Amino acid sequence: MRFQYCPHCGQKAGMRQIGDEGMIPYCAQCEIPLWDLFTTSIIAAVVNEEEEVALLRQNYVSTTNHVCVAGVMKTGESAEETVVREIAEELGLRVKSLKYIKSYPYEKKEMLMLGFQAVVDKQEFTLSGEVDTAEWVKFGDALSLMREGSIAWQLVRAVIGQKRDF
């Protein structure tokens, strides 16, 4: 979100040079810079001991490609807590271990996605209402089911490339 008006007082923001950051929207009345805001979310490659990744179909996201578990961080929640919560909600699985992979800016939706590898024991899924289907897919087959270059594809590719001990 890019501010045009101050969220504190409602005054139209002007532009002001802020250090090395350049020209930033600024409220002269409140005397504060109005930094762009973005939503922080997680995305997780959920893997098991058989070198499989859980891929989801969520028709509201894509009717043609599989995706990973993802979700928005709630206020007061750490990224790790968000991963554990989202995997439990969407797939009904308990996370054994987590590893941070990297962050992915998603400008189209003004999001910063924090990518994780989440290790779980292989078991049947208990799907939430927002997941149409989910399946365990062998590492070697996973990327072909995803949109090439997407954030989920990049994350799964990184996890497969690392082949951590599960």
Side-chain angles (χ1 to χ4, degrees):
M1 174 189 316
R2 291 175 172 78
F3 289 104
Q4 294 181 14
Y5 295 89
C6 177
H8 305 287
C9 71
Q11 180 175 314
K12 183 157 179 64
M15 297 301 283
R16 182 171 183 183
Q17 179 75 30
I18 306 291
D20 294 336
E21 302 302 322
M23 298 300 284
I24 302 294
Y26 187 84
C27 178
Q29 182 169 314
C30 296
E31 298 181 340
I32 58 171
L34 302 171
W35 303 103
D36 292 346
L37 295 180
F38 53 87
T39 303
T40 307
S41 61
I42 62 88
I43 184 165
V46 180
V47 299
N48 66 34
E49 68 279 5
E50 295 181 22
E51 293 194 349
E52 295 173 319
V53 61
L55 294 183
L56 291 62
R57 292 296 302 270
Q58 294 175 293
N59 288 333
Y60 75 93
V61 175
S62 174
T63 57
T64 57
N65 297 299
H66 289 73
V67 296
C68 292
V69 170
V72 174
M73 290 176 61
K74 294 181 178 179
T75 301
E77 189 175 54
S78 71
E80 293 81 3
E81 290 167 334
T82 304
V83 173
V84 170
R85 176 181 54 79
E86 287 289 343
I87 291 170
E89 287 175 2
E90 293 186 7
L91 299 177
L93 301 177
R94 193 182 125 268
V95 174
K96 290 172 40 176
S97 66
L98 281 176
K99 176 178 175 22
Y100 174 75
I101 303 298
K102 77 175 269 191
S103 63
Y104 302 88
Y106 188 15
E107 289 185 51
K108 178 180 172 184
K109 295 205 174 181
E110 295 184 340
M111 291 180 139
L112 176 65
M113 302 190 83
L114 306 177
F116 287 85
Q117 170 187 287
V119 179
V120 301
D121 288 326
K122 183 176 182 175
Q123 56 186 294
E124 294 297 315
F125 302 115
T126 303
L127 302 179
S128 77
E130 67 181 73
V131 177
D132 296 303
T133 63
E135 61 185 296
W136 288 114
V137 178
K138 290 288 185 192
F139 282 180
D141 299 326
L143 295 177
S144 67
L145 298 175
M146 307 172 83
R147 184 175 60 81
E148 186 174 348
S150 69
I151 292 170
W153 183 90
Q154 292 175 55
L155 176 62
V156 170
R157 189 174 122 198
V159 167
I160 291 169
Q162 293 180 13
K163 284 197 179 183
R164 298 287 180 206
D165 292 330
F166 305 136

